Amino acid sequence: DIQMTQSPSSLSASVGDRIIITCRASQTISVYLNWYRQKPGKAPELLIYTASTLQHGVPSRFSGSGSGTDFTLTISSLRPEDFATYFCQQTYSIPLTFGGGTRVEIK
Amino acid sequence: EVQVLESGGGLEQPGGSLRLSCTASGFTFSDYAMTWVRQAPGKGLEWVAGISGSGDSTYYADSVKGRFTISRDNSKNTVFLQMNNLRVEDTAVYYCAKGWVVIERALGGFDYWGQGTLVTVSS
């Protein structure tokens, strides 16, 4: 199985800050990498697919990059609604696997 | 507008069975894979099972293989998760989500999710 490791597991930031979350795959997954945001008590929302493609309707402050084993999610200017948990996911091989999550908290 | 709605969760004893249903609308159902993802209380996301648009191909996490069965009825825009021999560790919110055209090597993510249905396994 492909293990997905996210870092950090949590971070504190302020509205307007730029943050970067990283995700590392235990083996190469090309660009088969997605990012989700999950607000408390809600279902996850797709932000980025194939590593760098912005899902329709997602604000441009979100961006993704990477290929192979190392990926990043960048939020250029945090908004109040971005204080949530973020997950990466690989769709390269079965079983599909998620990273452990990164909780973004208000400083 | 795309909508995904799960039902069928509840309280069941260890060793028991439950059947989850997920009805979707707003897209050509048979063109897309569907998937179940679960989240134990306070934990992360775990992919559980996926099924191709035609229903010919099914895929499972090792943790549920042999106990859970995913199926779909394209005439009713519904996907099912039959859960047998339930264990305490199956306790979670179960989400149904619309996938891409295929499950593996998918060039897209899970773009629409239901609100989730809670399954509690306890004696």
Side-chain angles (χ1 to χ4, degrees):
Chain A
D1 297 3
I2 298 176
Q3 309 303 317
M4 306 300 294
T5 303
Q6 284 183 237
S7 61
S9 56
S10 66
L11 64 89
S12 296
S14 302
V15 172
D17 284 354
R18 177 176 180 264
I19 66 165
I20 298 174
I21 298 169
T22 66
C23 180
R24 174 165 289 176
S26 60
Q27 63 188 75
T28 184
I29 59 170
S30 183
V31 293
Y32 294 94
L33 189 284
N34 306 313
W35 288 99
Y36 300 85
R37 175 180 67 182
Q38 186 178 33
K39 299 174 184 176
K42 300 294 186 182
E45 310 164 76
L46 178 64
L47 300 174
I48 302 279
Y49 61 94
T50 56
S52 60
T53 306
L54 200 64
Q55 172 68 2
H56 292 305
V58 173
S60 59
R61 64 181 182 274
F62 292 95
S63 63
S65 66
S67 67
T69 61
D70 294 310
F71 302 87
T72 61
L73 172 70
T74 300
I75 307 176
S76 60
S77 180
L78 276 172
R79 296 283 301 266
E81 59 268 33
D82 299 332
F83 292 96
T85 302
Y86 294 82
F87 295 94
C88 61
Q89 176 211 26
Q90 64 83 18
T91 57
Y92 182 79
S93 69
I94 301 296
L96 307 186
T97 45
F98 289 89
T102 296
R103 184 174 179 182
V104 178
E105 300 172 318
I106 300 175
K107 185 184 289 184
Chain B
E1 178 191 8
V2 172
Q3 293 188 329
V4 177
L5 183 64
E6 307 98 337
S7 61
L11 174 65
E12 184 56 68
Q13 293 186 339
S17 297
L18 277 175
R19 189 194 199 202
L20 305 184
S21 300
C22 168
T23 301
S25 61
F27 62 99
T28 304
F29 187 70
S30 59
D31 282 353
Y32 294 92
M34 296 294 291
T35 195
W36 290 94
V37 174
R38 69 185 180 184
Q39 188 168 36
K43 302 298 184 181
L45 301 172
E46 181 187 15
W47 175 79
V48 172
I51 186 167
S52 63
S54 65
D56 290 346
S57 299
T58 57
Y59 310 87
Y60 299 93
D62 288 345
S63 58
V64 306
K65 200 173 293 182
R67 300 187 299 122
F68 290 11
T69 302
I70 189 171
S71 61
R72 65 191 295 161
D73 182 343
N74 285 346
S75 70
K76 297 181 179 178
N77 283 15
T78 302
V79 61
F80 305 97
L81 187 67
Q82 177 66 43
M83 304 186 295
N84 297 333
N85 192 19
L86 283 163
R87 303 169 179 169
V88 171
E89 55 266 33
D90 294 321
T91 295
V93 173
Y94 284 73
Y95 295 103
C96 174
K98 170 183 170 286
W100 198 61
V101 175
V102 297
I103 294 285
E104 196 170 33
R105 301 290 198 276
L107 293 173
F110 302 157
D111 54 356
Y112 292 95
W113 297 63
Q115 83 291 347
T117 187
L118 176 63
V119 171
T120 303
V121 184
S122 174
S123 55

